[in-house]
Amino acid sequence: AQSVTQLDSQVPVFEEAPVELRCNYSSSVSVYLFWYVQYPNQGLQLLLKYLSGSTLVKGINGFEAEFNKSQTSFHLRKPSVHISDTAEYFCAVSESSGSRLTFGEGTQLTVNP
Amino acid sequence: GAVVSQHPSRVICKSGTSVKIECRSLDFQATTMFWYRQFPKQSLMLMATSNEGSKATYEQGVEKDKFLINHASLTLSTLTVTSAHPEDSSFYICSARDDRGLGGYTFGSGTRLTVV
C-alpha cells in the first residue's frame, strides 16, 4: 500500500520569500506524484505532476517540484511567493495511471504581507 | 484543458431527505470517477471509485446503501446521499480520470452539503 506524509501542517511565510512544502511517500512499486492546491470552499487544482522522465517538474503559478527516488520525496518549491498563493496544498501519489490517489494531510501555506 | 463540472456547489436539505450530486466531465471521457469527502481542515477521504457501466467500489466503512453511486455514461457520475442526517454534512468532491491516459485526475469544484 502507498502512503504520503506532508511534514508541515502549516507554513507561514512573508510575501516574496521562497517556500518549500515537503512531501515524502511510501510505496513498494513505481509511483506517479502530484501536487494540488485548494482554495477555500473549492475543489482541487493540479499544480504539477511527475509521471516519468526529468525529475524536476515545472508547474503552474511558478511552482516546481523535484522527484527524489532515493529519498522518496517530492518537495514543492517556489522562489518568490505572493499573497494569492495562500491556500491548502496537497501532495498525492498513485501507483499506476488511473489507480486511486492517496493524499497527504495537506499543508496550509499562509503568505503574509 | 480537462474540465469537470460538479453540481450543485451548495445544498441545504432537511434530515431524512435525499440529495443528488452530479459530476460531469465536459471535454473528455471518463470511465473512472472518484468520490471524496472532506471534513474541515482535513484531507480528502476516498469514498468510492465509480466505473461506467458497473457497480461502484466502496472504501471500507462507507455505507453503499446510504451513498448511492451511478455512472451511467462516460461523462456523468452521480452521488446520492439517501436519508441524509446532520452527520452527513460535509464537503463532497468528485474527480475524473481522463480516458486518454494523460496521467491526470481532474477535480470538480465540490459540493457543500448541510443537513438540518
Side-chain angles (χ1 to χ4, degrees):
Chain A
Q2 65 222 32
S3 66
V4 179
T5 302
Q6 290 184 242
L7 298 163
D8 307 294
S9 60
Q10 297 191 45
V11 174
V13 294
F14 288 109
E15 193 174 17
E16 298 184 4
V19 71
E20 177 180 82
L21 306 184
R22 297 180 293 169
C23 173
N24 284 90
Y25 69 92
S26 169
S27 176
S28 58
V29 299
S30 297
V31 296
Y32 299 154
L33 294 154
F34 306 81
W35 273 101
Y36 288 89
V37 60
Q38 184 180 34
Y39 299 99
N41 293 308
Q42 293 188 29
L44 273 66
Q45 180 183 11
L46 179 68
L47 284 176
L48 47 80
K49 61 188 176 187
Y50 170 79
L51 304 181
S52 64
S54 173
T55 57
L56 182 62
V57 181
K58 293 189 182 298
I60 62 171
N61 300 343
F63 285 94
E64 64 179 34
E66 184 158 19
F67 170 55
N68 188 318
K69 189 175 181 179
S70 62
Q71 297 186 6
T72 60
S73 68
F74 191 56
H75 300 333
L76 180 71
R77 302 186 182 98
K78 186 169 182 176
S80 176
V81 294
H82 303 292
I83 299 286
S84 58
D85 291 323
T86 294
E88 188 83 19
Y89 291 79
F90 291 98
C91 181
V93 62
S94 70
E95 290 190 342
S96 64
S97 178
S99 67
R100 55 181 292 172
L101 278 175
T102 298
F103 285 90
E105 290 302 310
T107 298
Q108 173 65 45
L109 173 65
T110 302
V111 182
N112 298 300
Chain B
V3 177
V4 170
S5 173
Q6 185 173 343
H7 180 80
S9 58
R10 187 179 296 268
V11 58
I12 301 173
C13 71
K14 292 184 177 181
S15 288
T17 62
S18 295
V19 173
K20 179 184 285 189
I21 302 170
E22 290 190 351
C23 181
R24 194 180 298 271
S25 57
L26 297 186
D27 49 1
F28 64 97
Q29 293 185 332
T31 301
T32 303
M33 293 187 179
F34 305 88
W35 287 95
Y36 296 86
R37 183 173 181 175
Q38 186 179 31
F39 293 101
K41 304 294 185 183
Q42 293 189 27
S43 188
L44 282 72
M45 180 189 76
L46 180 65
M47 299 174 65
T49 301
S50 169
N51 296 294
E52 186 269 336
S54 63
K55 291 184 179 180
T57 303
Y58 290 82
E59 295 299 304
Q60 190 172 7
V62 177
E63 299 176 61
K64 60 181 67 176
D65 293 332
K66 167 168 266 308
F67 298 101
L68 299 179
I69 291 173
N70 183 278
H71 194 154
S73 79
L74 289 173
T75 60
L76 175 65
S77 175
T78 61
L79 169 68
T80 301
V81 183
T82 63
S83 186
H85 289 97
E87 57 264 32
D88 298 325
S89 298
S90 192
F91 194 58
Y92 294 88
I93 307 175
C94 71
S95 171
R97 182 184 68 87
D98 194 324
D99 281 353
R100 291 170 293 182
L102 300 178
Y105 303 78
T106 304
F107 286 79
S109 56
T111 298
R112 171 73 60 193
L113 171 63
T114 303
V115 184
V116 298

